[in-house]
Amino acid sequence: DAGITQSPRHKVTETGTPVTLRCHQTENHRYMYWYRQDPGHGLRLIHYSYGVKDTDKGEVSDGYSVSRSKTEDFLLTLESATSSQTSVYFCAIRERGGLTGELFFGEGSRLTVL
Amino acid sequence: QQQVKQSPQSLIVQKGGISIINCAYENTAFDYFPWYQQFPGKGPALLIAIRPDVSEKKEGRFTISFNKSAKQFSLHIMDSQPGDSATYFCAASSGGGSQGNLIFGKGTKLSVKP
C-alpha cells in the first residue's frame, strides 16, 4: 500500500464550525490531491498541490482552502462547514513525471456536517 | 467543461458473465485513459490504463477497448467473479498522464451474482 494516511477517518461536526483534514505521505511524491466523492457525482477534484507552498484550485474549490508547508503533509480546511460539504474526502498522491500517471489514494475521511 | 460520461450507473452480472462499462469524452487533448476500481470503505486503485496509440489493452480478465474517432472507451471484465463486485471509475487526462489532472466519470457500481 502507498504510504498515505488520512486523519481523521470519521468526523461529525456542526454547521459553521471549522474543519481540517490531514493527508500525510511517506513516499516523497511531489503531487498531492484532495477529492470529494458523492453518490451520483463520482470523484471531483477540490484542490491540488505540485510542491511545497504550490497549490491550485480544482473543479469544486469553493468553501475549501489548502496548505502544504512540508512535502509530506497536505491539509484541507473548511473554514465554516456547511451541510453540502458532507462527503467522503480522499487524498491522493502522484509521483512527478510518473510514466503511468497513477494516482495512489488514501482510505478516505468521512465528514458529516449537521 | 471537460467531462467524462460513464454508463451505466449500476450493473448486475451473473458469475461467469461479461461486464461492460462505457465511457465517452469530449476533449480531444485527452491522451491517457485509466480505470480505477474501488471496494467499499477503500480508496480507488488503478486497475488498467490505455493510451490512444493502441485500440485495446488486456490484463488478465480485464480489457480496455478504445475508439479514438468516436471518443469512447470501455472496460470489459471477462468471466466476472463475485470478487469483482466494486465501483469502477473511468478517467481521462492530457499530457500522457504525467501532467494534466485526471477527470473522473461518475462511477459504475458492479454487482456480480454467484
Side-chain angles (χ1 to χ4, degrees), chain A residues 1-5 9 24-29 93 102-107, chain B residues 37 39 41-46:
Chain A
D1 289 344
I4 307 169
T5 304
R9 293 291 313 280
H24 178 79
Q25 62 148 330
T26 58
E27 307 296 324
N28 201 36
H29 284 355
I93 63 176
E102 180 174 0
L103 289 183
F104 297 92
F105 284 85
E107 297 209 322
Chain B
Q37 180 188 54
F39 293 106
K42 300 294 185 181
L46 180 65

Side-chain angles (χ1 to χ4, degrees), chain A residues 9 31 33 35 37 40-43 45 48 59 90 94-108, chain B residues 1-2 9 32 34 36 38 41-46 49 51 87 89 96-107:
Chain A
R9 293 291 313 280
Y31 293 90
Y33 304 81
Y35 285 88
Q37 183 176 14
H41 291 277
L43 291 156
L45 182 63
Y48 65 100
E59 177 187 359
F90 286 98
R94 179 167 67 80
E95 186 178 15
R96 174 186 181 181
L99 293 179
T100 66
E102 180 174 0
L103 289 183
F104 297 92
F105 284 85
E107 297 209 322
Chain B
Q1 179 171 349
Q2 300 177 349
Q9 279 189 307
Y32 174 68
Y36 280 76
Q38 183 183 29
K42 300 294 185 181
L46 180 65
R51 290 185 167 82
T87 299
F89 294 95
S98 64
Q99 297 180 29
N101 296 324
L102 279 175
I103 306 297
F104 285 88
K106 294 185 177 182

Side-chain angles (χ1 to χ4, degrees), chain B residues 8-15 17-20 80 85 108-114:
Chain B
Q9 279 189 307
S10 62
L11 181 62
I12 300 174
V13 174
Q14 291 296 317
K15 178 182 176 182
I18 302 173
S19 304
I20 302 174
S80 299
S85 298
T108 297
K109 185 174 182 179
L110 171 65
S111 297
V112 181
K113 300 299 184 184

Side-chain angles (χ1 to χ4, degrees), chain A residues 37-77:
Chain A
Q37 183 176 14
D38 305 287
H41 291 277
L43 291 156
R44 293 181 292 175
L45 182 63
I46 305 171
H47 281 280
Y48 65 100
S49 169
Y50 45 95
V52 173
K53 299 191 188 310
D54 292 323
T55 65
D56 206 347
K57 296 178 179 180
E59 177 187 359
V60 289
S61 60
D62 288 348
Y64 301 94
S65 62
V66 290
S67 66
R68 191 168 177 200
S69 59
K70 298 183 293 184
T71 298
E72 57 266 34
D73 288 327
F74 192 32
L75 304 181
L76 177 70
T77 298

